[in-house]
Structures are given as structure tokens and as C-alpha cells.
Amino acid sequence: RVTVRTDSVFTGHEARDGHLRKRDFLWTDEHPTMTFTGTATERTGERTGRITGDLTLRGVTRPVTFDVTYNGSR
């Protein structure tokens, strides 16, 4: 499970970030966090895979799948 503060959005453009935090998009005042809860993983290659789970954003939960690449560890 990963929880992210919605007001932490950073695109490198201050005006755009402010717009993304408003009601049109993330609505950070009403929904301060978004949460991804993983439900399954699948290896698709030597360094690639898929992570499936439920993403909750603005109080709505939907299933999502992310294609991922392992780039190493530190």
C-alpha cells in the first residue's frame, strides 16, 4: 500500500501545479491523499513486470495496472 499527499504534485511549473491541486483535478483541499493498494504482481521479462491494484483518488476507487521496469537498487 502506498499513500501519497495530493498536494505534493510537482511538474516543475508552479502555475500548472496550482491548477492540478484545484477542484478540476486532484481537489487537494477535499482529498488530501491518494492511495494505491497492490493486489497482484506478474513478471513479464527479466527486468519487467506488471503491478495490479486499486487506486483511490478523490474518494473513488478503480482497478489499475502499471507496467514496471526494475532499474536496480541502491
Side-chain angles (χ1 to χ4, degrees):
R1 172 178 277 195
V2 177
T3 299
V4 177
R5 291 183 48 87
T6 53
D7 66 0
S8 70
V9 65
F10 178 76
T11 66
H13 188 276
E14 190 174 329
R16 178 177 37 232
D17 293 347
H19 185 84
L20 289 172
R21 292 181 183 113
K22 294 189 187 289
R23 187 176 181 167
D24 289 349
F25 291 96
L26 297 173
W27 200 5
T28 61
D29 291 340
E30 290 291 320
H31 304 281
T33 61
M34 61 180 149
T35 302
F36 174 79
T37 303
T39 58
T41 59
E42 173 189 1
R43 189 174 188 160
T44 59
E46 187 175 318
R47 298 175 32 148
T48 60
R50 281 192 193 92
I51 300 174
T52 300
D54 298 314
L55 178 66
T56 302
L57 183 60
R58 291 182 55 146
V60 176
T61 302
R62 301 260 196 253
V64 296
T65 299
F66 296 102
D67 291 319
V68 296
T69 301
Y70 177 71
N71 292 321
S73 60
R74 293 181 183 210

